Amino acid sequence: MALNVGPDFKQRWLNVPDAVRQTFIDDLSRICDVLKPESQIQEWLITDQKQQQMSFEIIEEAYAKRKAELIEEARLRKQLALERKLDKKRAEQLAYVERLKQDEIRQYAEQSQTLALIRQNIDREIQTYTARYHKNPEGIAFNFAQNLSIPDHAMLSELESVRVRLELEADSLIEKSVNAFRAELKAAAQEEIEYILKNSNFSDKKIES
C-alpha cells in the first residue's frame, strides 16, 4: 500500500521545526506499538490520549517559537537592508562632498593660474612701457625712426613735448643759477664793503645811501 504524503514532502519535512519532526516520529512509534500482540488496547488508548495532548502542546509551542524566529529574522533582514541603504546614502553623500571638495580645489587652481597669467601680463606690460623710456646707451645715437614703429605725427608730437619740457627745465635751472649767482655777488659785495669800512678811516662814519 502506497502512502500519499503530497508533493515536495522532503522539503516540507525538513522545513518543520526539529521538535515537530521528533513529535511525529514519536507518534508513529507509538502507533506501531499498538500493533504488537502483547499490547493492551485500552491502556494504549489512555496513554495515546495523553501523548496526543502532549504532542499538540509541543507542536504548538514549536511553531510559536518558529514563528517568533521568522519574525526576528525578518526584522533583522529589514534592519540590515535599512543599514545598507543608510550606508549607501552615506557613501553617496561622502562622494558628493568629495566631488565638491575636488571641484573647489580645481576652481581654486584655475583661479590661481588665471591670476598668475594676469600678473605675468601686467609684468610684461610694465616691462614694455618701462623699456620705452630707458636711458639711451652713451655714445650711441638713438634712431627713433628705425627702432620705434610710431607714426610720424605721434613721434613729432612726442618730440615736441620733450623739447618743451626740456626747455622749461632748462629755464628753471638757468633762473635758479642766476638767482644763486646774484646772491653770491650780493654776499661778496657786502663782505667787501664791510671789509673796506673796517680797515678804512671811515669806519666810524655813517655811509649815506
Side-chain angles (χ1 to χ4, degrees), residues 87-101:
D87 291 340
K88 182 179 179 181
K89 186 175 181 181
R90 190 178 298 110
E92 291 175 352
Q93 291 177 346
L94 291 176
Y96 177 72
V97 171
E98 183 64 22
R99 287 196 300 271
L100 290 179
K101 180 180 178 181

Side-chain angles (χ1 to χ4, degrees), residues 106-120:
R106 179 184 57 80
Q107 291 181 2
Y108 177 78
E110 291 178 354
Q111 292 176 357
S112 299
Q113 185 178 5
T114 302
L115 291 176
L117 292 175
I118 293 175
R119 188 177 295 108
Q120 291 177 2

Side-chain angles (χ1 to χ4, degrees), residues 2-169:
L3 181 63
N4 185 9
V5 294
D8 300 328
F9 172 75
K10 183 178 180 179
Q11 185 65 32
R12 289 186 288 110
W13 175 253
L14 294 176
N15 286 337
V16 299
D18 293 339
V20 175
R21 286 201 302 269
Q22 186 61 45
T23 301
F24 287 159
I25 293 173
D26 293 341
D27 289 344
L28 290 174
S29 177
R30 191 172 64 255
I31 292 172
C32 292
D33 289 341
V34 77
L35 299 177
K36 294 179 181 180
E38 64 273 14
S39 297
Q40 299 293 326
I41 300 299
Q42 293 298 327
E43 293 180 0
W44 183 88
L45 290 174
I46 295 173
T47 302
D48 181 67
Q49 187 176 4
K50 294 179 180 179
Q51 292 296 328
Q52 284 185 9
Q53 182 63 31
M54 292 177 60
S55 297
F56 177 78
E57 293 176 356
I58 292 174
I59 292 173
E60 186 177 10
E61 182 180 356
Y63 275 112
K65 183 178 180 181
R66 180 57 177 167
K67 182 179 179 180
E69 291 176 352
L70 292 175
I71 293 175
E72 180 65 16
E73 290 175 358
R75 186 189 68 81
L76 292 176
R77 286 195 301 270
K78 184 177 180 180
Q79 181 178 356
L80 181 60
L82 179 60
E83 290 177 355
R84 289 177 178 175
K85 185 176 180 180
L86 291 176
D87 291 340
K88 182 179 179 181
K89 186 175 181 181
R90 190 178 298 110
E92 291 175 352
Q93 291 177 346
L94 291 176
Y96 177 72
V97 171
E98 183 64 22
R99 287 196 300 271
L100 290 179
K101 180 180 178 181
Q102 294 299 327
D103 187 63
E104 290 180 357
I105 294 175
R106 179 184 57 80
Q107 291 181 2
Y108 177 78
E110 291 178 354
Q111 292 176 357
S112 299
Q113 185 178 5
T114 302
L115 291 176
L117 292 175
I118 293 175
R119 188 177 295 108
Q120 291 177 2
N121 292 333
I122 293 175
D123 292 340
R124 281 197 298 268
E125 291 179 1
I126 292 175
Q127 292 176 0
T128 300
Y129 285 114
T130 303
R132 293 178 58 184
Y133 299 100
H134 70 281
K135 183 179 180 180
N136 294 332
E138 295 181 358
I140 300 177
F142 190 80
N143 191 342
F144 286 91
Q146 181 178 358
N147 293 280
L148 292 178
S149 57
I150 303 176
D152 293 339
H153 66 278
M155 183 175 64
L156 293 175
S157 177
E158 183 69 17
L159 291 175
E160 181 64 19
S161 298
V162 172
R163 185 186 64 79
V164 172
R165 185 168 63 253
L166 291 176
E167 288 180 354
L168 292 175
E169 292 177 356

Side-chain angles (χ1 to χ4, degrees), residues 143-209:
N143 191 342
F144 286 91
Q146 181 178 358
N147 293 280
L148 292 178
S149 57
I150 303 176
D152 293 339
H153 66 278
M155 183 175 64
L156 293 175
S157 177
E158 183 69 17
L159 291 175
E160 181 64 19
S161 298
V162 172
R163 185 186 64 79
V164 172
R165 185 168 63 253
L166 291 176
E167 288 180 354
L168 292 175
E169 292 177 356
D171 292 339
S172 178
L173 291 175
I174 292 172
E175 183 177 358
K176 290 180 180 179
S177 299
V178 171
N179 292 333
F181 182 71
R182 288 177 179 176
E184 291 177 356
L185 287 178
K186 184 177 180 180
Q190 185 66 30
E191 290 178 358
E192 185 68 18
I193 293 173
E194 291 177 355
Y195 178 79
I196 293 173
L197 292 175
K198 183 178 180 180
N199 295 282
S200 66
N201 295 327
F202 302 98
S203 58
D204 296 331
K205 294 182 180 180
K206 182 178 180 180
I207 301 176
E208 295 180 359
S209 58

